[in-house]
């Protein structure tokens, strides 16, 4: 019996509202009955009255251009899918039909419903969001399931921050984000969690301030070169280079007693036209009171269950003790707070010491930045509440007809620091849009060859917790059955085109699918046309910033993540202002970017689920590794190590990848003269090789010092949790050897080169399909 149909006390099928949902006269989103999303004609009429979607909205050439673009988008979609509609295979005709079923009204309705209230993980509001997703998927006649876990989440109990300096009155900061004029969510904004960093150390610190730019290691090296000692001080750093957990970790390692991180107007406040900036709701830019929240846990999953899965409340599972957690290097260990650009600038004005270098300075109108220490003194207190709370992953399953034991998994996380209109619920809306289209295909007679699993993850913002716990819980099943994991965290940032990142065997499929979808901002071209002009067109899934991490970096499942637009177009990230108004004004006024992203996402899933032979091509993988290995080697000129084992293994991979690619073409051309049974067995054997090759890149011991990361080719950098590094074990060992320059450090570098080479050789053997 498949896992999704199993029923028992420990794994119930959820058919009603979650226990915490007290809806009464409100719907599952907590909205009054008059604001409920309607179905059928009622929903369409409601959305047509919405200002961003109404046909009569706007005037003059702007509205005419919108109508023209909409017309072009429809026409281009029909043209792009023409050859699929006339393709010889029934699945291709269903794929073409899928591309015609997009609905910007549906995407807008889902996003509006999901973002009526802030919904941080572990709260009743997020339980309501989970129920909305479950009910929507269930209404499509898909079997649905909710899997709960009891995990360690982190919330603020008390925060205070004050500034004192000679000749200045003591300044106490409010640590609040201001609502904006005519904010339709002003009442709900009162539910937003106070600005904080999850898992921050608790305590009180009073000390002089040192300014550390973007908080990178090189910034601390520069401070040391200027004779500035960070030990015992409060570090002031700004967002913009690395993620907050790395910034606080670097400050701690430098000896700082606490850290303050702010959003500098230079990076998030927009241009200062005529000396004055404009911000949301008038422009897309972050208001002066905006604060970017985040997590400081330097790991993935429930902090109390590293390397193994958590369990539901009331069940018994092994957990780290409080003492073990406090002693863990993964915890920040020092108090830290995020503050606004306005507060950061106030602190900067009170700083003394040497003038910071030009690249450390603020934008137009900012005070002169100085590095300190002092004479500004900050008094910071943070008391956190790290507590076990229940999170809920929501699933829907479309069972495969021919290969139900092969899983194509699509996922998005649901929890948000605030309203989450961009991060993550633009992705949730697109995922529900995909599910609705698949339901319509089912009604037309389609059934996937392989099983499709739709996943709504919880507690991603805290440490990728929901996806990680489920992946760890099902690791052996996934290792033997998962074809691919297709993630969309944020579907739309704004303008900028399709931005995918993936393991390289998916490159060809992404390109083919993107050629079938018109670019919503320029329907005379396809998503492919913009994507291919980028460098690189397809990035790699190496950072740990979202839910693909457990699948590719822990298990070795081919994975992708994609979005539309540029992150730089989204300055309200993780702040109060990430709401529906921002999305409808700046992110995607017509919701056509949501539809385009859903189209390419769903089409890739359909190809992986329906194609007789899994559409992987490992030839680009070999080319990518060859290029990456040269970049790594160039970083160590004259080193007393040999990279020849790595280059030799990559040549083996190239040979094996070419071999199976040719075998695939021969089998598809029916040139082997196989009978039906022989062909079925050959297809299954080839698909197993294609599916399992990615697993071979993993190593059971994991990366040195980071055993959770099993993938030898792609993982986050040990200096930047979101950074992209190929051959991360080699890169880390190289940096260590260059720093220490000892015989042992160079020996360990050579060892890591051999480890990487063995992983590539293992993948080659799997693709080759024959024993030594």
């Amino acid at each position: 019996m498949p896992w999704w149909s199993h029923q028992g006390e420990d794994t119930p099928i959820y058919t009603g509202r979650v226990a915490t949902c007290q809806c009464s006269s409100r719907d599952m989103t907590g909205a009054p009955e008059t604001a409920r999303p309607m179905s059928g004609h009622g929903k369409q009429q409601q959305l047509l009255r919405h200002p961003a979607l109404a046909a009569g909205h706007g005037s003059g050439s702007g509205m005419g251009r919108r109508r023209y673009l909409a017309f072009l988008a429809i026409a281009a979609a029909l043209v792009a899918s023409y050859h699929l509609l006339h393709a010889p295979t029934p699945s291709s005709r269903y794929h073409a039909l899928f591309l015609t079923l997009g609905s910007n009204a549906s995407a807008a309705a889902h996003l509006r419903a999901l973002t009526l209230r802030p919904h941080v993980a572990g709260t009743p509001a997020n339980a309501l969001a989970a129920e909305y997703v479950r009910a929507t998927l269930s209404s499509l006649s898909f079997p649905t399931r909710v899997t709960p876990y009891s995990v360690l989440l982190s919330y603020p109990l008390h925060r205070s921050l004050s500034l004192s300096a000679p000749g200045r009155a003591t300044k106490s900061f409010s640590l609040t984000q201001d609502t904006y004029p005519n904010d339709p969510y002003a009442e709900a904004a009162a539910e937003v969690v106070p600005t904080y960093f999850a898992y921050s150390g608790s305590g009180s610190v009073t000390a002089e301030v040192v300014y550390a730019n973007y908080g990178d290691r090189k910034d601390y090296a520069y401070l040391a070169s200027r004779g500035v000692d960070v030990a015992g001080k409060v570090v002031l750093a700004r967002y913009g280079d690395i993620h907050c957990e790395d910034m606080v970790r670097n400050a701690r390692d430098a000896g700082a007693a606490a850290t303050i991180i702010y959003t500098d107007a230079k990076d998030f406040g927009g241009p200062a036209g005529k000396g004055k900036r404009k911000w949301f709701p008038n422009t897309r830019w972050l208001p002066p009171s905006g604060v970017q929240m985040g997590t400081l846990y330097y790991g993935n999953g429930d902090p109390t269950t590293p390397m193994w899965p958590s369990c539901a409340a009331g069940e018994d599972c092994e957990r780290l003790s409080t003492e073990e957690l406090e002693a863990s290097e993964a915890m920040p260990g020092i108090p830290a707070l995020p503050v606004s650009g306005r507060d950061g600038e106030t602190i900067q004005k009170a700083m003394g010491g040497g003038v910071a270098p030009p690249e450390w300075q603020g934008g137009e109108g900012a005070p002169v930045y100085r590095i300190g220490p002092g004479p500004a003194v900050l008094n910071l207190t943070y008391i956190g509440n790290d507590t076990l709370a229940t999170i809920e992953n929501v699933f829907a399953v479309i069972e495969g007809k021919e290969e139900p034991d092969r899983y194509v998994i699509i996922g998005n996380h649901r929890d948000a620091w605030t309203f989450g209109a961009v991060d993550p619920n633009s992705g949730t809306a697109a995922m529900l849009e995909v599910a609705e289209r698949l339901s319509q295909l089912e009604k037309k007679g389609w059934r996937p060859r392989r099983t499709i699993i739709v996943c709504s993850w919880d507690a991603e913002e805290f440490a990728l917790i929901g996806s990680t716990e489920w992946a760890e819980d099902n690791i052996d099943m996934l290792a033997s059955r998962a074809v691919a994991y297709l993630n969309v965290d944020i579907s739309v940032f704004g303008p900028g085109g399709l931005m995918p990142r993936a393991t390289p065997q998916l490159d060809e499929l992404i390109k083919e699918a993107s050629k079938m979808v018109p670019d919503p901002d320029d329907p005379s071209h396809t998503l492919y046309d913009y994507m291919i002009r980028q460098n690189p067109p397809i990035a790699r899934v190496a950072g740990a910033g979202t839910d693909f991490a457990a699948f590719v970096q822990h298990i070795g499942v081919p994975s992708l993540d994609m979005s539309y637009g540029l992150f730089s177009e989204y300055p309200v990230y993780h702040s109060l202002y990430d709401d529906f108004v921002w999305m409808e004004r700046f992110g995607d006024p017509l919701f056509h970017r949501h539809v385009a992203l859903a189209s390419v996402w769903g089409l890739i899933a359909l190809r992986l689920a329906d194609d007789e032979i899994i559409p992987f091509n490992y030839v680009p993988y070999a080319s990518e590794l060859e290029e990456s290995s040269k970049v790594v080697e160039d970083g160590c000129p004259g080193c007393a190590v040999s990279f020849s084992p790595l280059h030799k293994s990559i040549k083996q991979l190239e040979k094996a990848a070419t071999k199976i690619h040719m075998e695939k073409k021969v089998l598809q051309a029916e040139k082997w003269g196989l009978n039906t049974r022989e062909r079925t067995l050959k297809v299954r054997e080839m698909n197993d090789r294609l599916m399992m090759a990615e697993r071979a890149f993993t190593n059971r011991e994991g990366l040195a010092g980071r055993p959770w990361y099993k993938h030898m080719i792609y993982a986050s950098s040990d200096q930047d949790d979101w950074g992209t590094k190929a051959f991360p074990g080699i890169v880390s060992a190289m940096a260590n050897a260059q720093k220490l320059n000892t015989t042992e450090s160079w020996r360990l570098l050579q060892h890591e080169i051999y480890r990487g080479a063995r992983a590539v050789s293992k993948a080659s053997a799997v693709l080759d399909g024959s024993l030594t």
Side-chain angles (χ1 to χ4, degrees):
M1 182 180 294
W3 66 267
W4 55 83
S5 61
H6 175 69
Q7 299 187 51
E9 291 183 358
D10 58 334
T11 51
I13 297 290
Y14 279 67
T15 58
R17 294 179 299 179
V18 292
T20 55
C21 178
Q22 302 295 328
C23 295
S24 62
S25 65
R26 291 175 174 262
D27 70 353
M28 66 191 90
T29 67
E33 289 184 338
T34 55
R36 289 183 187 175
M38 294 177 282
S39 59
H41 181 70
K43 179 190 288 186
Q44 293 173 357
Q45 291 299 314
Q46 181 191 46
L47 286 163
L48 286 173
R49 290 195 296 269
H50 189 277
L53 300 173
H57 177 65
S59 61
S61 60
M63 192 56 212
R65 174 172 170 75
R66 287 185 179 184
R67 288 174 174 164
Y68 177 66
L69 286 174
F71 170 78
L72 280 181
I74 295 170
L78 293 173
V79 172
S81 60
Y82 176 83
H83 74 277
L84 283 179
L85 284 165
H86 294 78
T89 61
S91 62
S92 295
R93 290 194 289 272
Y94 284 121
H95 299 178
L97 177 60
F98 175 88
L99 294 177
T100 69
L101 297 176
S103 169
N104 60 351
S106 175
H110 288 310
L111 187 64
R112 178 185 286 278
L114 286 161
T115 58
L116 290 174
R117 297 172 62 187
H119 46 285
V120 71
T123 63
N126 200 43
L128 294 174
E131 171 58 11
Y132 178 87
V133 171
R134 189 212 62 79
T136 300
L137 294 171
S138 182
S139 73
L140 303 175
S141 300
F142 297 145
T144 59
R145 180 184 185 87
V146 176
T147 301
Y149 292 98
S150 179
V151 301
L152 189 76
L153 300 182
S154 178
Y155 308 100
L157 286 179
H158 173 75
R159 311 158 304 136
S160 66
L161 181 68
S162 62
L163 169 70
S164 59
R168 294 173 178 262
T170 298
K171 163 73 174 177
S172 294
F173 297 100
S174 66
L175 304 178
T176 58
Q177 301 183 83
D178 302 332
T179 57
Y180 51 91
N182 302 314
D183 182 355
Y185 301 105
E187 183 177 347
E191 302 176 27
V192 171
V193 64
T195 55
Y196 80 116
F197 284 134
Y199 308 109
S200 168
S202 293
S204 296
V205 174
T206 301
E208 291 182 321
V209 186
V210 170
Y211 172 51
N213 193 27
Y214 292 116
D216 207 336
R217 291 186 182 182
K218 64 178 181 293
D219 295 325
Y220 288 97
Y222 175 81
L223 288 173
S225 73
R226 293 277 299 267
V228 176
D229 186 4
V230 175
K233 304 298 193 296
V234 176
V235 162
L236 177 69
R238 56 182 178 175
Y239 280 112
D241 191 7
I242 57 178
H243 200 241
C244 57
E245 66 258 37
D246 296 290
M247 298 169 74
V248 174
R249 189 163 166 252
N250 291 342
R252 178 198 68 188
D253 293 347
T259 308
I260 299 294
I261 301 176
Y262 72 103
T263 45
D264 197 322
K266 175 184 178 181
D267 301 303
F268 297 90
K274 296 183 179 180
K276 185 175 181 180
R277 287 187 167 86
K278 294 182 179 180
W279 50 78
F280 181 69
N282 299 312
T283 71
R284 69 175 57 248
W285 298 102
L286 184 70
S289 69
V291 178
Q292 183 183 136
M293 291 185 278
T295 183
L296 301 184
Y297 177 62
Y298 202 78
N300 295 334
D302 179 4
T304 69
T305 61
M307 303 294 295
W308 66 89
S310 187
C311 54
E315 297 179 1
D316 182 30
C317 56
E318 180 184 7
R319 295 186 187 275
L320 296 183
S321 67
T322 302
E323 293 73 23
E324 288 172 317
L325 271 174
E326 290 177 349
S328 170
E329 281 291 306
M331 287 296 191
I334 61 174
L337 272 179
V339 301
S340 67
R342 180 174 59 197
D343 292 347
E345 187 170 298
T346 298
I347 298 170
Q348 289 280 9
K349 289 177 179 177
M351 294 283 291
V355 175
E359 62 271 21
W360 288 37
Q361 294 295 325
E364 184 179 347
V368 174
Y369 288 2
R370 297 179 178 274
I371 59 177
V377 172
L378 284 174
N379 184 335
L380 179 155
T381 296
Y382 177 80
I383 306 298
N385 177 28
D386 295 355
T387 182
L388 290 177
T390 295
I391 64 169
E392 297 172 317
N393 293 331
V394 181
F395 302 94
V397 178
I398 310 171
E399 189 167 6
K401 185 177 182 180
E402 287 90 356
E403 299 181 71
D405 61 336
R406 293 292 180 259
Y407 307 151
V408 175
I409 306 169
I410 70 173
N412 155 267
H413 79 92
R414 180 186 64 255
D415 65 297
W417 287 118
T418 63
F419 294 98
V422 178
D423 183 10
N425 297 132
S426 66
T428 315
M431 186 173 74
L432 295 177
E433 160 79 4
V434 169
E436 288 175 343
R437 296 198 219 177
L438 296 179
S439 176
Q440 292 181 65
L441 293 188
E442 273 199 324
K443 293 174 183 176
K444 299 289 186 180
W446 167 81
R447 278 279 303 279
R449 178 186 181 93
R450 304 178 186 93
T451 295
I452 297 175
I453 305 174
V454 180
C455 312
S456 174
W457 307 119
D458 204 349
E460 186 268 2
E461 296 293 4
F462 284 81
L464 317 183
I465 294 178
S467 59
T468 299
E469 296 311 308
W470 188 77
E472 291 175 343
D473 211 5
N474 298 278
I475 187 168
D476 296 313
M477 288 274 282
L478 294 171
S480 63
R481 298 185 176 189
V483 174
Y485 175 68
L486 313 177
N487 189 72
V488 169
D489 186 325
I490 296 167
S491 69
V492 178
F493 289 111
L498 180 66
M499 308 294 286
R501 47 182 175 161
T503 45
Q505 74 275 67
L506 285 163
D507 285 4
E508 189 173 284
L509 175 58
I510 293 170
K511 292 175 182 178
E512 291 172 359
S514 66
K515 290 177 180 178
M516 301 305 302
V517 180
D519 189 319
D521 290 353
D522 183 6
S524 64
H525 293 83
T526 66
L527 292 177
Y528 171 85
D529 295 326
Y530 177 88
M531 179 188 76
I532 204 65
R533 294 197 299 268
Q534 306 310 302
N535 185 24
I538 302 172
R540 297 300 160 218
V541 284
T546 192
D547 289 304
F548 59 69
F551 292 91
V552 65
Q553 295 164 5
H554 191 62
I555 302 175
V557 176
S559 298
L560 69 77
D561 178 74
M562 56 187 169
S563 58
Y564 190 96
L566 304 171
F567 181 76
S568 60
E569 296 292 326
Y570 171 46
V572 298
Y573 175 67
H574 285 185
S575 76
L576 173 68
Y577 311 102
D578 184 3
D579 65 14
F580 188 85
V581 174
W582 191 94
M583 177 60 78
E584 70 175 346
R585 291 190 183 182
F586 306 110
D588 192 8
L590 295 178
F591 285 86
H592 57 334
R593 295 167 184 155
H594 283 76
V595 171
L597 195 284
S599 292
V600 70
W601 189 11
L603 184 56
I604 290 169
L606 284 168
R607 288 284 310 277
L608 289 166
D610 286 342
D611 282 17
E612 181 186 41
I613 301 174
I614 297 171
F616 289 162
N617 184 352
Y618 280 85
V619 174
Y621 215 134
S623 300
E624 175 86 10
L625 295 192
E626 181 62 30
E627 183 177 334
S628 297
S629 67
K630 291 176 180 177
V631 172
V632 172
E633 186 174 6
D634 289 345
C636 200
C639 293
V641 293
S642 172
F643 284 86
S644 61
L646 185 60
H647 294 308
K648 181 180 178 181
S649 68
I650 293 171
K651 292 298 182 185
Q652 293 173 340
L653 179 64
E654 182 182 16
K655 182 178 178 181
T658 302
K659 174 187 173 184
I660 194 170
H661 188 63
M662 296 307 297
E663 289 178 4
K664 176 180 176 180
K665 289 184 176 296
V666 171
L667 185 58
Q668 289 173 325
E670 306 278 359
K671 292 183 178 180
W672 276 340
L674 303 175
N675 60 39
T676 301
R677 182 176 182 276
E678 290 172 336
R679 178 183 173 81
T680 299
L681 292 174
K682 182 61 181 176
V683 167
R684 180 74 171 196
E685 183 267 347
M686 182 175 290
N687 281 338
D688 285 347
R689 289 155 60 192
L690 290 166
M691 185 178 75
M692 299 303 293
E694 189 71 41
R695 316 285 197 273
F697 288 121
T698 63
N699 181 289
R700 65 171 61 90
E701 285 82 23
L703 297 178
R706 297 191 296 160
W708 188 88
Y709 291 95
K710 308 294 186 185
H711 209 285
M712 295 289 102
I713 310 302
Y714 294 120
S716 63
S717 162
D718 60 357
Q719 298 182 31
D720 179 2
D721 199 34
W722 283 20
T724 298
K725 293 292 182 185
F727 300 109
I730 298 174
V731 171
S732 180
M734 182 186 300
N736 193 56
Q738 290 171 329
K739 178 181 178 180
L740 299 178
N741 196 26
T742 62
T743 301
E744 178 62 13
S745 65
W746 291 111
R747 185 194 69 79
L748 289 175
L749 171 56
Q750 188 66 68
H751 172 63
E752 288 297 332
I753 293 171
Y754 276 117
R755 289 184 81 203
R758 285 193 291 271
V760 177
S761 294
K762 284 197 307 173
S764 302
V766 172
L767 286 177
D768 187 72
S770 55
L771 298 171
T772 57

